[in-house]
Structures are given as structure tokens and as C-alpha cells.
Amino acid sequence: MPHTTQAEEATLRRDLAAAYRLAARFDWDDTLYTHFSARLPGGRKGQQRFLLNPFGLMFKEVRASDLIVVNLEGKVVQGGAAMNPAGFTIHSAVHTARDDAHCVIHTHTVPGMAVAACEQGLLQLNQISAEFHQSVGVHPYEGVAFNLEERSRIQAALADNMALILRYHGLLSVGPTVADAFCIMYYLNKACEIQLAAAQLASIAGPVTRIPPALSAHVRKQFRGVEHERQLVWAAWLRDLDRSEPDYRL
């Protein structure tokens, strides 16, 4: 199997660094914690490597050249910085199990963690949440993800879904590109924000209504037909970053 070319790695580094900068802009960061990863193409099964943020940099500081390369044994094989052990557990679990999960986004946002504490998880309350109808797994909380044995349970909970709610912990999205995974997280987090707003409104205006399952399934199918538009959204975000924070590419 061919190795990753310099051009392929440069593009992945640019896109992943952009994801960190955008996450800081959207207030998804958590000081030095949470992590995004992108798998480098060309590795044989069990020998894949992925890009990860170095532990110690805030999201708004990350540049393409800062990203470290980690293998599935948890060793940093390129870059002098350390990694977050919990980040390795979660991301290696997904990259090992899902050939299509080239990018993994994990966040600790307030709306995401609030919904992760709800027994019923993400509710069908709006058009945005309908995109995730029957497409989000739930992984029970086991404490901080230092235990590598948890990886098999994360894999089972994610299954073939586009996203995962980590109970009491946060959100996770996957995609074939950084653009896909990031856009999925953007709208998953937005759906959680709306759910929080609806809950606050219900306290003064009465119960909110849910989209019927059959209609949610219809809307989910509609969204699948326009998933290519994520690339247009991503290109627009990159143009904005190029104007305001061009150093992310360095």
C-alpha cells in the first residue's frame, strides 16, 4: 500500500489546523483538553498513523506544523511534543474500527455535555436534529478515558453512526474528511444548543413538541442527498481563516 505523499499530508495538516482554529472561534475549546485527529492515508491495517494536536497548545495556537503523528500503539512517531493519553484512547478506538472515519472530532461544549447528561439524549425538536435521526450512538461513562480496554466499547457504541454521545462527557463526530467531521459536529452542537433553548422555553411556555419518527427519517434522507455541500461550507470557512488567521497554515 502506498505511503502518504507530502502533498496529502500537507493538506490534512492544513485542514486539521483549520479545524482547531475554527473550534476556538466557535467556543468549542476546553483550555488544553479535547482533541481532533486525522488519519494519514497509506498505512496497512493495524499500522495506521494519525495527526493529533500536541498536548500543551490551546486550539487558537495550533498551526499545521505543530501537529504530531501518533501510531496505534500510542507512540509519537513524528513531532517532539507529548500527546493527551485520553485523546489517544478515544481516537485510536475509532480509527482502528472505522475505515471511513478519516477524521474524528471530540468536544466538551456546554450544550453537548448538557445533552450528554440527559437520559433521552438528543431529541427530535428541530430540522437540524433530524439530520441525526437514528445516526447517533451513546457510550456509557467509564471515567477519564485512560483505560485502553474501553476502546472496544467505544467502537461498539459508535457502530456505523456519524456521531457519538459520550455520556457525561461530550460529543464525537466522524467523517471521511475533516470537512465532513467538522460540519457534522457543527450541526450536532447546534442541535444541542437548540435543545437547551427549547428546555428553557418550556419552563415558561409549556411543553415542546417532537418531530414524528417517520418525518425525521424523511428529513434525514433529504440531508443525505446534500452531504456534498459540506465541502462548500468548509471552503468558505477556510477563506475566512485565510483572511483573519493565515498563520494556521504554517
Side-chain angles (χ1 to χ4, degrees):
M1 187 175 294
H3 294 293
T4 307
T5 67
Q6 289 184 339
E8 287 173 328
E9 181 168 339
T11 298
L12 278 175
R13 284 180 173 275
R14 179 207 67 185
D15 284 353
L16 195 59
Y20 282 110
R21 294 297 185 95
L22 289 168
R25 179 178 297 186
F26 298 149
D27 199 26
W28 294 0
D29 51 351
D30 181 12
T31 63
L32 307 179
Y33 301 96
T34 76
H35 11 79
F36 309 162
S37 63
R39 185 169 57 214
L40 293 168
R44 296 182 182 276
K45 189 71 173 178
Q47 298 180 352
Q48 299 98 326
R49 303 172 303 144
F50 54 92
L51 296 169
L52 194 67
N53 57 318
F55 190 50
L57 288 183
M58 300 183 74
F59 281 15
K60 64 183 179 181
E61 298 177 295
V62 174
R63 302 171 303 172
S65 60
D66 294 320
L67 298 168
I68 59 175
V69 179
V70 180
N71 65 19
L72 293 181
E73 285 72 50
K75 295 181 180 179
V76 177
V77 297
Q78 184 178 332
M83 68 171 183
N84 184 332
F88 170 74
T89 298
I90 294 170
H91 290 259
S92 63
V94 179
H95 287 303
T96 301
R98 290 275 297 270
D99 289 339
D100 62 323
H102 292 290
C103 180
V104 181
I105 303 286
H106 171 48
T107 62
H108 293 166
T109 66
V110 170
M113 294 184 77
V115 169
C118 294
E119 182 176 353
Q120 297 183 62
L122 185 68
L123 303 178
Q124 289 296 299
L125 299 180
N126 55 83
Q127 177 171 279
I128 293 175
S129 63
E131 179 177 3
F132 300 96
H133 176 66
Q134 295 185 341
S135 299
V136 180
V138 178
H139 175 59
Y141 188 58
E142 299 186 24
V144 179
F146 293 147
N147 181 8
L148 293 181
E149 293 180 359
E150 187 179 353
R151 290 189 292 187
S152 62
R153 296 182 286 277
I154 293 173
Q155 293 165 351
L158 177 61
D160 61 353
N161 292 304
M162 66 164 64
L164 185 65
I165 293 175
L166 300 162
R167 185 71 75 190
Y168 310 126
H169 185 171
L171 305 175
L172 181 145
S173 67
V174 304
T177 67
V178 175
D180 286 293
F182 195 90
C183 285
I184 289 168
M185 179 59 72
Y186 180 86
Y187 284 106
L188 178 59
N189 193 71
K190 182 71 70 176
C192 291
E193 290 177 339
I194 295 170
Q195 185 165 320
L196 277 182
Q200 294 171 341
L201 181 63
S203 67
I204 59 174
V208 298
T209 59
R210 302 188 194 186
I211 303 174
L215 183 53
S216 287
H218 169 66
V219 177
R220 173 70 186 106
K221 186 176 181 180
Q222 290 179 310
F223 273 113
R224 286 188 174 181
V226 294
E227 288 179 347
H228 62 278
E229 293 179 4
R230 295 171 185 158
Q231 303 301 322
L232 298 176
V233 175
W234 184 249
W237 275 331
L238 289 186
R239 290 195 300 272
D240 192 31
L241 278 178
D242 285 341
R243 288 189 293 267
S244 60
E245 303 177 55
D247 65 307
Y248 80 94
R249 289 176 171 266
L250 298 178

